[in-house]
Amino acid sequence: MDHSGWRKLRNIVQWTPFFQTYKKQRYPWVQLAGHQGNFKAGPEPGTILKKLCPKEQLCFQVLMKDALRPFVPEYKGHLTTDDGDLYLQLEDLLGDFTSPCVMDCKIGVRTYLEEELAKAKEKPKLRKDMYEKMIQIDPNAPSEEEHRLKGVTKPRYMVWRETISSTATLGFRIEGIKKSDGKSSKDFKTTKNRDQVIEAFRDFVAGFPHVIPKYIARLRVIRDMLMESKFFTTHEVIGSSLLFVHDSKNANIWLIDFAKTLILPPDIRINHTSEWVVGNHEDGYLIGINNLLDIFTEMNAATAFPVTLIEVTAPSEVA
């Protein structure tokens, strides 16, 4: 294979950082988003380690006492590894699945914090690297001036990046998908319109039609529990994902990734559905949930023999 062919393949395939063994099964652990090297195998069966972020640790401590606890990885404390790094010890969500299909969907109408945008605007510099990333995806995206200068500012890039995927329009975007045969793809940067998303979802569930109603039922319960959650009421949820996992028998969804989730200022209240304008802290989280529900419901209705949805009772209390 020539070098260019190898580079293309390497961009499509997401290598897994380690193998897990749980319930006598050995399987490659999957990371579809985020910085490589952030995860390690956990010291106990059924656990993984994630590099400690103080903001995320605080979120997990609150979530363990919240209505959302059954819908997030169980937090089992933190530890220091031999190399001196601090890690969160979390439940391995893939442990009960056999050759699972996994999809990471980042939820919300933006993936950056308001303070990140404000900081980027303080002393905006022309960034050649961001200009090059922009023209790789869309050569017509930069203005004539930006083309002339061969640079764009970080605020300009941050806002533009959300418009090329379904983040700004549907309130979520696909970050990565791994199929049961081990093949992975993160090539969804420009998966923008509803039809493109449906095509990707159909490929994700291909061969597993039974999982669509299970995903719909789980999304409904998650939406109900978000409305009951004190955590959700009091936090701006940015850069968080829903992790979809299924195999030949089971399907489930969890909320993951809280490194950019911040408690709201005391004078701010958000409903997670209103349009975001700088200063109102709206995240569009429920916009994403509702659109995911609509799309999976449409997919279920379009199947040759749509499966009747099973009512799922939400947990009555948090353990």
Side-chain angles (χ1 to χ4, degrees):
M1 181 183 295
D2 65 3
H3 290 302
S4 61
W6 167 244
R7 280 198 299 272
K8 186 175 180 181
L9 178 64
R10 188 174 58 189
N11 288 337
I12 293 173
V13 177
Q14 180 67 38
W15 300 108
T16 54
F18 51 80
F19 277 79
Q20 280 282 69
T21 303
Y22 182 49
K23 296 184 178 178
K24 297 183 180 179
Q25 293 186 66
R26 190 170 184 269
Y27 57 93
W29 195 83
V30 181
Q31 181 182 351
L32 289 171
H35 297 290
Q36 293 303 299
N38 277 1
F39 292 90
K40 291 179 180 285
E44 301 171 16
T47 65
I48 60 160
L49 298 180
K50 182 179 183 181
K51 274 198 176 174
L52 189 147
C53 164
K55 291 176 184 175
E56 185 165 38
Q57 182 181 36
L58 189 60
C59 286
F60 272 117
Q61 289 169 343
V62 176
L63 283 164
M64 289 303 97
K65 301 174 184 177
D66 189 78
L68 290 174
R69 177 172 178 168
F71 306 95
V72 301
E74 183 182 353
Y75 170 62
K76 300 173 181 286
H78 69 273
L79 53 82
T80 306
T81 57
D82 293 340
D83 54 14
D85 290 331
L86 286 169
Y87 283 82
L88 303 175
Q89 187 174 353
L90 302 172
E91 172 191 5
D92 179 4
L93 300 175
L94 306 184
D96 289 326
F97 291 85
T98 303
S99 300
C101 298
V102 185
M103 176 170 67
D104 182 309
C105 282
K106 198 172 285 291
I107 309 298
V109 295
R110 59 189 164 95
T111 59
Y112 51 81
L113 294 167
E114 291 196 355
E115 64 185 47
E116 289 180 296
L117 186 61
K119 187 175 180 180
K121 285 180 176 178
E122 283 176 7
K123 294 180 180 178
K125 297 178 181 178
L126 286 176
R127 296 278 298 269
K128 184 179 180 182
D129 58 331
M130 291 180 175
Y131 168 80
E132 289 174 349
K133 284 181 181 179
M134 185 181 281
I135 61 174
Q136 277 182 357
I137 293 170
D138 182 1
N140 298 317
S143 66
E144 287 184 16
E145 178 75 357
E146 288 166 340
H147 273 308
R148 187 177 67 81
L149 298 171
K150 290 188 168 24
V152 297
T153 64
K154 187 174 181 180
R156 158 87 163 110
Y157 179 81
M158 289 167 69
V159 174
W160 168 81
R161 187 179 54 187
E162 308 297 46
T163 66
I164 62 171
S165 70
S166 55
T167 289
T169 53
L170 297 176
F172 73 88
R173 73 171 182 233
I174 303 170
E175 285 286 285
I177 287 177
K178 185 202 79 83
K179 302 293 290 294
S180 58
D181 59 7
K183 291 180 180 176
S184 302
S185 175
K186 295 174 69 177
D187 190 25
F188 299 101
K189 285 185 176 67
T190 56
T191 302
K192 181 176 181 177
N193 65 46
R194 188 183 179 91
D195 289 342
Q196 290 173 316
V197 170
I198 289 174
E199 184 180 348
F201 283 0
R202 282 182 178 146
D203 181 61
F204 175 58
V205 302
F208 302 90
H210 65 285
V211 307
I212 298 177
K214 290 184 178 182
Y215 280 148
I216 294 170
R218 181 71 167 179
L219 284 167
R220 285 179 174 174
V221 178
I222 287 173
R223 183 173 62 181
D224 289 345
M225 285 297 99
L226 287 169
M227 306 317 295
E228 298 289 328
S229 166
K230 185 179 179 182
F231 176 90
F232 191 61
T233 303
T234 55
H235 284 74
E236 175 184 358
V237 187
I238 301 296
S240 183
S241 290
L242 288 184
L243 189 72
F244 293 72
V245 187
H246 67 259
D247 61 14
S248 59
K249 296 179 181 178
N250 303 310
N252 217 332
I253 305 172
W254 290 273
L255 286 69
I256 62 169
D257 296 338
F258 301 101
K260 288 188 177 183
T261 295
L262 301 178
I263 193 162
L264 289 162
D267 58 331
I268 296 288
R269 291 288 178 269
I270 65 175
N271 57 28
H272 304 277
T273 58
S274 294
E275 181 181 355
W276 172 66
V277 294
V278 176
N280 73 358
H281 291 269
E282 288 290 353
D283 53 24
Y285 198 96
L286 287 175
I287 295 173
I289 296 287
N290 287 330
N291 278 317
L292 281 165
L293 253 173
D294 287 347
I295 288 172
F296 273 105
T297 301
E298 180 182 323
M299 288 170 59
N300 185 58
T303 57
F305 303 99
V307 185
T308 303
L309 295 177
I310 305 166
E311 286 297 321
V312 176
T313 305
S316 57
E317 61 183 55
V318 176

